[in-house]
């Protein structure tokens, strides 16, 4: 997995996201392949989770911040499962609470 200087995985291209999203959606593929595609999409978009938490860092306790982080990851996973590769970015499917 390509890393950036800031430690985050490099963003995927639209084409890479579309290939992985197709892998997640294809029910005929082995479960392990689908899980690997989902995990790669998650890891390459995890920076969005931290971005969502940015303005709350100074206002929430550690426990509350971790709970919020969990909720945002669940939202990202829901976006991955519902993403249909039509040329849009995956992150546009992720709801913001």
């Amino acid at each position: 997995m390509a890393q950036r200087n800031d430690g985050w995985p490099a963003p995927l291209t639209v084409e890479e996201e579309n290939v992985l999203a197709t892998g997640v959606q294809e029910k005929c593929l082995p479960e392990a392949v689908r899980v690997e595609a989902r995990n790669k999409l998650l890891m390459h978009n995890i920076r969005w989770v931290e971005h969502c938490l940015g303005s709350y860092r100074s206002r929430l306790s550690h426990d509350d911040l971790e709970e919020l982080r969990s909720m945002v990851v669940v939202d990202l996973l829901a976006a991955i499962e519902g993403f249909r590769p039509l040329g849009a970015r995956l992150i546009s499917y992720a709801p913001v609470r």
Side-chain angles (χ1 to χ4, degrees):
M1 181 179 325
Q3 293 282 323
R4 295 169 25 128
N5 290 340
D6 59 6
W8 295 106
L12 297 171
T13 64
V14 172
E15 294 79 19
E16 290 170 321
E17 282 187 350
N18 288 340
V19 168
L20 290 168
T22 301
V24 171
Q25 301 302 324
E26 289 294 325
K27 304 297 183 200
C28 62
L29 291 176
E31 183 67 19
V33 172
R34 294 173 56 222
V35 167
E36 183 179 340
R38 185 189 72 219
N39 288 345
K40 188 167 184 179
L41 283 168
L42 176 65
M43 291 311 299
H44 281 271
N45 285 282
I46 202 73
R47 178 184 356 203
W48 176 79
V49 172
E50 295 305 314
H51 172 76
C52 289
L53 299 176
S55 62
Y56 296 101
R57 289 187 192 285
S58 62
R59 296 184 289 179
L60 294 176
S61 69
H62 175 75
D63 290 343
D64 288 342
L65 193 62
E66 287 302 311
E67 184 175 344
L68 182 58
R69 179 178 284 118
S70 296
M71 291 170 40
V72 176
V73 168
V74 167
D75 287 345
L76 179 56
L77 286 169
I80 289 169
E81 292 297 326
F83 181 55
R84 300 293 179 262
L86 302 172
R89 298 303 305 231
L90 164 66
I91 212 63
S92 65
Y93 278 69
V96 178
R97 295 178 193 226

